[in-house]
Amino acid sequence: MPILLLPVLKTIVRMNNKWFLTIVLSKSFTIKEIRASFLEYFKSKRHLIEKSASLMPAEDPTLLFTTAGMVPFKDYFSGIVSPPSPRIASVQKCFRTTDLSNVGKTKRHMSMFEMLGNFSFGDYFKKEAIEFAWEYVTTCLPFDKEKIWVTIYLDDDEAFDIWHNHIGMPAHKIVRLGKSDNFWGPAGSTGACGPCSELYLDRGEQYTCFSDDPKPGDEGERFMEFWNLVFNQFDLKENGDYAPLKSTGIDTGAGLERLATLVQGVDSVFDTDELVELRKAVEEVYGVKYAGDNVEPIRVLTDHIRALTFTMSDGIFPSNESRGYVLRRLLRRALLFGRKIGQSEPLLYKLVPAVVKIYGYFYPELNSSLQLISDYIHGEERRFLQTLEVGYQKINDIMHHTKEFRNSEKVITGKEIFTLYDTFGFPPEMTQEIAESEGFKIDLAGFGAEMEKQRNRGKSAWKGDAGALKDITALTRFVGYETDHLLAKVAELLFSEDSGKTEARKSVHEHEVNNRVFYLVTDQTPCYPESGGQMGDSGFAHGKHFNCKIVDTQKQGNSIIHVCEALEGEIAVGAEIEIKIDAERRENLRKNHSVTHLLNAALRKKFGTHIRQSGSLVDPDYLRFDFTHPNRLTENEVEEIETRVNSAIAQKLPVNTQELVKAEAEKTGAVMNFGEKYGEVVRVVRMDDYSIEFCGGTHVKNTGDIKLFLIAKESSPGAGNRRIEAFSSDKACQKIIELENFLVKQLQTESHQIVDPYKDAFEKLQTELQNHIQKSEKEKFSIAYWHFLKKLETQIAGFATANKKALKKSAASLDINETLLDALISQKVSQNDRNMICGTVEGGIPRMKIMVDYIRSKSPDSIIILFSSDSQKWSLLLATTFAYAEQTGFDASQAIKKIMAAHPELKVGGGGKKELAQATGTIPSEGIAAAEKIILENAKKLL
């Protein structure tokens, strides 16, 4: 066995003809060291070490959050994707809210935690998993073998035999438990699952145990579970069937904080070293001690700020929907407990730097998000604290009224809960927590009924929620592949009444509509309903007695729903109407949808078949494409993908569609999108041999119709996924012109302050760009020209950065007083809507120009007036940046001419450009002070 590089004392011993690593632990065996020891141990066992995935699960609609260490590997267990190694180990950040009400109350519940895990995908199984676990906890951790117990699933005799006969665990320490305790998974509603075996530590008689025969599974704190070994052998299907996995697997999970509690010999997870550090930060920020009634609120704040910081660093932010609602609930719960220890102003956000400081070394994504997260939490705190006191008083009033005037048991009604939620922003869970602390019950069923009433009152336009339009039954035939206009018959009409309720109508008149929408269902339509990432069509409908605008198209079941507005006249069920789609918008949608297929194919050809579409948006103006890939694309890789796609466009490949039985379609090798549900008959879109996919969207007839494809941005929407935002066709050409114009202005702006040795290189860039601008439209609207502009943009930025350093160096060599210049900048004033920096300095024109460059680099949106003098003459410099001169209309050269004309007695001479001009003159008989006053006052008047 190889020596593990652990931050502890180590010795190698031989027992029963095997080599073991033994560790002598110091008192400073930290969480950091436990993480390292776990990963090093399993690395020595030929496991690939994977970084933690995002808390936002990739491509998994069954989960809101990453709730376990195996979540990123679900597809490996199910056989959908081949793993990079048959053995993997990780430390995975996890987030669960199933026991949120217990967080703070107990010694071990948390919402966010770290999970140590080792995994096998068709490699080793029960015997090796048990051996690894036993060896790690008895040789790498300070556990007494005699205090370790295990549990197994009721009928898992194989696991019993391994523990008893192979490991040597006494039979009475192997406890058989049922499905609720020892059958795990899946993570979500479907996926890998199986029986499990859990390791427990007997913490001793000093901990509570409510049994005469103490053992794992009993109530109390004596036995603490610290590692779960799941033997994955089933795949739970949507219909509830447990199908055998294609190959068995191992999924283990050890909660790091819980493990540290045992290793460090402390009382709770909140006493482990990293959480103690964060807990102390809470005490400092809130000005309270961790004792007595403060213990629960401090635990809640410690847990919740850590969870919020981690989830938000993964791009999940508090909101009113889905994952965001969970985080908003978590944040508001933290504020509720903050109130219990005296919080009356935003404080929680001040803890974000502490979280980043403690955990940033292992989770580097935290470091780049600190300010964003702090600001976001601060804003949420500020808004909610404004209503918290009022809402809290309202709850107290309700409870007081109930005690005084209701003879029945203490219950807060559903309507009261709804009022607190709708008016004061109190989630029902928060109301429940406050109420139960005072011995009240709450009517959640009644609250649900009130929420349903609100939904029925809603007047919002269709957003894909079928609730308000659930009674639509008409069958709509889509014929938009063949035509963009047709005659149809009105099958159903729906309209939101003044009451807010959406009801079926026989007719709708223009005087009823005003600014509201109504819903139109016909027997057939050319309008494509939003699906597969492609936005729904818009267009127009008109008949004998009406005209209206179609602003969106959606689908519900077998019905296609036109969302309409701007009605003129009256429309009625049974009327014959003509529907026309917005042909230009549809054409742009076709191009952007088709190019996503080319992009998907290009990515798979470049990086391999692990590339899978994980999301997309096909908008008429741009496209967004999310795909599975572990690494950021380099600049060269982005260029190569652009070149591959544009090559396919230039080849003018024919685009053909075909409907096939799904089994036959699969034989073609067509790419299917993860998460999409397909029927027995599917539509296959083929772009020659370059791309073939299952797809129901609309497409061009030839890839040449797309003209051009440009990638605007490559980023990550979450761990394991990348996102490309791009433009095609005329929008791509427009982006080339925009970038070209931007670079022309940028070169003009930067050119005035370029110093040696960069002047020649900078002028060369200007000349090169001007030469390209003269080229033909065909040459300009090409991927080659786009790449030239992007490289030029990088070069200009590089020169600008290097030039600033050179300017600073020049200032230092001339002994420029930067403190004086910074003071001048700080005294900037506004006059006639123009910013002005004015002052008297020492030195001649060359020295003053260096000062101007320094000031312009610090304050580019200002007009600079510098005056200097010696015994013979005075000097004046007027300057700004090219961009600010363009913005304000200021012209330094014209200002100098006006000064020369106004004061011939000073014998003024000078000139220059609109962004930089200079003047010199003689000292008048009144002296230098008089010259300074005359010149500066005149210069200021010219602003």
Side-chain angles (χ1 to χ4, degrees):
M1 177 179 177
I3 297 176
L4 306 184
L5 301 177
L6 305 179
V8 288
L9 300 176
K10 305 171 286 291
T11 59
I12 299 294
V13 297
R14 185 167 182 164
M15 298 173 62
N16 299 324
N17 294 319
K18 289 185 178 180
W19 288 101
F20 291 93
L21 174 72
T22 63
I23 298 179
V24 181
L25 296 168
S26 66
K27 290 183 179 179
S28 61
F29 197 71
T30 63
I31 281 180
K32 183 176 183 179
E33 292 165 348
I34 296 172
R35 280 197 205 96
S37 74
F38 181 86
L39 295 176
E40 286 292 340
Y41 173 81
F42 280 99
K43 185 177 181 180
S44 76
K45 299 297 183 182
R46 296 184 291 108
H47 286 63
L48 174 67
I49 305 303
E50 287 278 28
K51 291 182 178 179
S52 174
S54 169
L55 285 167
M56 183 189 295
E59 304 178 44
D60 193 337
T62 68
L63 286 172
L64 287 179
F65 300 98
T66 300
T67 56
M70 63 81 66
V71 168
F73 311 128
K74 284 178 69 175
D75 287 353
Y76 299 162
F77 282 116
S78 62
I80 296 174
V81 178
S82 297
S85 168
R87 298 182 177 196
I88 288 177
S90 68
V91 178
Q92 174 64 47
K93 50 190 175 184
C94 302
F95 181 67
R96 298 178 188 171
T97 57
T98 48
D99 296 314
L100 187 61
S101 61
N102 287 325
V103 175
K105 293 180 182 178
T106 72
K107 298 178 180 180
R108 63 177 184 267
H109 279 99
M110 293 177 293
S111 61
M112 184 265 165
F113 56 95
E114 297 176 74
M115 184 75 80
L116 309 177
N118 59 288
F119 309 91
S120 167
F121 311 102
D123 188 46
Y124 60 83
F125 199 47
K126 291 183 184 180
K127 178 175 177 292
E128 294 86 348
I130 291 172
E131 285 178 340
F132 290 154
W134 183 251
E135 184 176 68
Y136 177 72
V137 301
T138 58
T139 64
C140 296
L141 297 180
F143 292 154
D144 183 347
K145 294 179 183 180
E146 301 303 316
K147 293 184 178 181
I148 298 176
W149 291 57
V150 298
T151 62
I152 60 173
Y153 186 52
L154 276 175
D155 58 3
D156 194 348
D157 294 331
E158 181 185 4
F160 179 89
D161 180 67
I162 296 169
W163 277 116
H164 182 54
N165 296 319
H166 183 65
I167 298 298
M169 179 72 69
H172 74 279
K173 289 188 176 182
I174 305 173
V175 181
R176 294 178 185 262
L177 296 176
K179 191 171 185 178
S180 61
D181 294 295
N182 276 75
F183 192 97
W184 195 91
S189 58
T190 60
C193 55
C196 64
S197 179
E198 296 183 318
L199 282 74
Y200 285 76
L201 191 72
D202 183 354
R203 305 172 77 189
E205 295 179 358
Q206 68 270 31
Y207 288 91
T208 57
C209 184
F210 306 104
S211 173
D212 294 332
D213 181 23
K215 60 183 179 299
D218 293 340
E219 293 291 329
E221 298 286 338
R222 177 169 176 175
F223 291 91
M224 182 180 283
E225 180 264 321
F226 64 88
W227 203 345
N228 187 9
L229 315 179
V230 180
F231 310 127
N232 280 318
Q233 55 194 88
F234 301 110
D235 185 8
L236 179 60
K237 300 297 184 181
E238 287 185 355
N239 62 5
D241 289 344
Y242 287 90
L245 280 174
K246 293 180 181 178
S247 59
T248 58
I250 291 296
D251 158 25
T252 84
L256 176 58
E257 296 85 354
R258 187 177 293 195
L259 190 63
T261 301
L262 299 173
V263 169
Q264 296 175 4
V266 293
D267 189 49
S268 78
V269 292
F270 297 99
D271 298 312
T272 55
D273 63 290
E274 290 185 346
L275 283 174
V276 163
E277 188 176 348
L278 183 55
R279 194 189 75 198
K280 288 180 177 178
V282 174
E283 294 178 68
E284 182 178 347
V285 168
Y286 284 78
V288 293
K289 293 295 183 183
Y290 184 65
D293 292 340
N294 294 339
V295 168
E296 183 179 355
I298 289 175
R299 285 177 176 175
V300 169
L301 291 164
T302 301
D303 172 88
H304 288 12
I305 188 58
R306 185 170 77 141
L308 287 164
T309 304
F310 270 83
T311 49
M312 291 170 74
S313 74
D314 281 339
I316 312 168
F317 288 86
S319 69
N320 287 329
E321 297 180 355
S322 189
R323 298 179 178 95
Y325 176 73
V326 176
L327 291 200
R328 180 159 284 167
R329 172 187 166 197
L330 193 77
L331 194 154
R332 291 183 171 182
R333 185 173 188 265
L335 298 183
L336 177 64
F337 277 88
R339 184 185 185 279
K340 293 182 179 182
I341 54 175
Q343 181 181 3
S344 59
E345 61 183 33
L347 293 175
L348 190 66
Y349 77 99
K350 295 181 179 181
L351 294 169
V352 175
V355 178
V356 174
K357 178 184 176 184
I358 296 166
Y359 296 98
Y361 72 92
F362 194 75
Y363 298 101
E365 62 271 19
L366 294 171
N367 298 307
S368 60
S369 308
L370 192 158
Q371 195 59 52
L372 173 66
I373 296 170
S374 295
D375 291 346
Y376 202 101
I377 292 177
H378 189 203
E380 287 278 325
E381 282 190 276
R382 190 176 62 253
R383 286 187 291 271
F384 186 62
L385 285 172
Q386 292 172 355
T387 61
L388 179 59
E389 287 302 319
V390 178
Y392 205 96
Q393 185 58 51
K394 181 66 176 176
I395 295 175
N396 285 328
D397 290 345
I398 291 170
M399 292 189 292
H400 176 74
H401 184 271
T402 301
K403 288 177 183 178
E404 290 288 321
F405 300 104
R406 296 177 189 167
N407 296 322
S408 59
E409 62 177 330
K410 297 187 292 184
V411 177
I412 297 180
T413 68
K415 190 168 186 178
E416 290 167 333
I417 302 167
F418 175 78
T419 299
L420 288 165
Y421 172 72
D422 194 47
T423 305
F424 301 103
F426 267 66
E429 300 86 1
M430 183 178 289
T431 301
Q432 183 176 17
E433 194 147 4
I434 296 171
E436 289 180 349
S437 69
E438 298 294 329
F440 277 71
K441 294 180 180 179
I442 68 169
D443 179 16
L444 287 174
F447 168 73
E450 292 295 327
M451 287 294 290
E452 184 63 27
K453 290 178 185 177
Q454 185 198 47
R455 279 190 285 270
N456 291 335
R457 290 193 297 267
K459 297 181 181 180
S460 60
W462 173 273
K463 294 296 182 184
D465 179 6
L469 308 176
K470 61 184 178 182
D471 296 327
I472 292 176
T473 58
L475 172 66
T476 307
R477 186 167 67 96
F478 174 67
V479 293
Y481 296 135
E482 298 84 26
T483 183
D484 60 5
H485 70 282
L486 52 69
L487 293 176
K489 184 172 287 188
V490 178
E492 293 188 53
L493 287 168
L494 292 99
F495 183 67
S496 295
E497 307 286 353
D498 289 336
S499 64
K501 188 175 182 180
T502 300
E503 291 184 340
R505 297 282 295 273
K506 292 295 184 182
S507 65
V508 178
H509 194 277
E510 65 177 65
H511 76 265
E512 300 175 287
V513 175
N514 293 324
N515 294 321
R516 288 180 286 178
V517 300
F518 66 94
Y519 306 102
L520 165 66
V521 183
T522 55
D523 61 340
Q524 60 179 354
T525 183
C527 294
Y528 181 82
E530 182 176 341
S531 179
Q534 180 174 327
M535 296 183 69
D537 276 331
S538 61
F540 303 91
H542 66 89
K544 188 175 181 180
H545 302 294
F546 84 96
N547 291 294
C548 71
K549 184 177 181 181
I550 300 169
V551 294
D552 194 11
T553 309
Q554 296 287 336
K555 187 173 185 179
Q556 178 178 287
N558 293 318
S559 303
I560 294 177
I561 303 165
H562 307 88
V563 184
C564 303
E565 63 180 24
L567 176 65
E568 297 176 359
E570 184 177 20
I571 182 172
V573 171
E576 187 175 78
I577 66 173
E578 183 179 15
I579 300 175
K580 292 183 178 180
I581 66 171
D582 183 333
E584 182 179 349
R585 184 175 182 275
R586 164 72 81 82
E587 183 61 20
N588 289 334
L589 287 167
R590 282 195 190 104
K591 292 173 181 177
N592 281 340
H593 199 154
S594 294
V595 88
T596 63
H597 285 224
L598 296 178
L599 175 59
N600 195 10
L603 289 165
R604 290 169 67 86
K605 292 175 191 297
K606 169 63 179 175
F607 298 111
T609 55
H610 74 275
I611 297 287
R612 289 182 295 152
Q613 178 179 332
S614 55
S616 71
L617 173 64
V618 178
D619 184 276
D621 293 328
Y622 73 102
L623 64 102
R624 187 180 71 218
F625 187 79
D626 295 349
F627 57 98
T628 55
H629 189 58
N631 303 316
R632 179 183 68 84
L633 270 61
T634 65
E635 186 177 320
N636 287 338
E637 288 171 340
V638 169
E639 285 193 5
E640 183 177 343
I641 295 302
E642 285 178 315
T643 301
R644 285 174 180 264
V645 172
N646 281 284
S647 175
I649 292 171
Q651 291 175 49
K652 299 183 179 180
L653 305 174
V655 179
N656 297 306
T657 61
Q658 186 179 15
E659 288 192 347
L660 297 170
V661 174
K662 186 182 177 187
E664 291 300 314
E666 289 173 348
K667 293 178 183 177
T668 67
V671 174
M672 294 181 286
N673 291 332
F674 180 82
E676 289 282 341
K677 303 296 182 184
Y678 297 103
E680 283 304 309
V681 177
V682 297
R683 187 166 179 262
V684 177
V685 177
R686 179 188 289 273
M687 299 179 182
D688 201 42
D689 292 330
Y690 193 86
S691 167
I692 178 168
E693 291 191 29
F694 286 24
C695 182
T698 63
H699 291 275
V700 298
K701 296 186 181 300
N702 185 292
T703 60
D705 296 340
I706 301 169
K707 296 181 184 177
L708 183 63
F709 169 76
L710 308 176
I711 294 177
K713 184 180 180 182
E714 192 273 345
S715 61
S716 172
N721 282 263
R722 304 304 301 176
R723 169 172 291 170
I724 284 176
E725 295 170 65
F727 298 92
S728 76
S729 194
D730 293 340
K731 285 290 180 181
C733 296
Q734 181 181 326
K735 289 297 170 183
I736 285 180
I737 296 301
E738 288 176 3
L739 181 56
E740 182 183 78
N741 291 337
F742 169 76
L743 294 180
V744 168
K745 285 190 175 182
Q746 193 175 24
L747 283 167
Q748 289 173 333
T749 301
E750 295 289 347
S751 63
H752 67 271
Q753 57 182 358
I754 292 294
V755 298
D756 290 330
Y758 303 107
K759 281 186 177 179
D760 291 343
F762 210 78
E763 288 173 1
K764 185 178 179 182
L765 293 182
Q766 287 180 301
T767 302
E768 194 173 359
L769 178 58
Q770 288 301 322
N771 290 339
H772 277 81
I773 289 174
Q774 308 305 321
K775 290 187 175 182
S776 68
E777 187 173 285
K778 182 178 180 181
E779 290 177 296
K780 287 177 66 171
F781 296 145
S782 67
I783 192 61
Y785 188 52
W786 174 254
H787 289 166
F788 162 74
L789 292 176
K790 294 297 288 183
K791 283 184 169 61
L792 186 63
E793 184 179 30
T794 302
Q795 286 177 300
I796 293 171
F799 278 132
T801 300
N803 189 65
K804 284 180 181 178
K805 292 179 180 178
L807 282 172
K808 195 171 182 67
K809 190 174 181 181
S810 295
S813 66
L814 291 173
D815 194 26
I816 298 299
N817 189 337
E818 294 183 4
T819 303
L820 171 63
L821 298 181
D822 289 336
L824 288 179
I825 294 169
S826 69
Q827 295 167 18
K828 177 168 60 177
V829 296
S830 181
Q831 181 174 307
N832 298 329
D833 295 325
R834 293 172 174 175
N835 297 322
M836 179 178 66
I837 297 171
C838 180
T840 300
V841 296
E842 294 181 356
I845 292 293
R847 185 181 179 86
M848 293 168 73
K849 285 183 177 179
I850 295 294
M851 295 181 188
V852 162
D853 287 337
Y854 178 85
I855 295 173
R856 280 195 291 205
S857 69
K858 292 291 188 75
S859 184
D861 60 343
S862 300
I863 295 170
I864 305 159
I865 304 171
L866 296 183
F867 179 89
S868 72
S869 63
D870 55 29
S871 59
Q872 303 291 322
K873 63 179 181 179
W874 54 263
S875 299
L876 175 70
L877 216 59
L878 298 183
T880 186
T881 60
F882 180 84
Y884 199 62
E886 290 280 294
Q887 177 185 333
T888 61
F890 176 74
D891 190 324
S893 64
Q894 291 300 315
I896 289 292
K897 288 178 182 178
K898 289 179 181 179
I899 294 173
M900 291 166 64
H903 295 281
E905 77 278 5
L906 296 179
K907 299 181 180 178
V908 181
K913 298 181 292 185
K914 63 181 179 181
E915 70 270 20
L916 178 66
Q918 66 188 55
T920 59
T922 59
I923 304 298
S925 58
E926 294 89 346
I928 293 174
E932 180 179 357
K933 182 179 179 182
I934 293 169
I935 296 302
L936 289 181
E937 284 183 356
N938 272 273
K940 291 176 183 178
K941 287 177 182 177
L942 295 173
L943 292 187

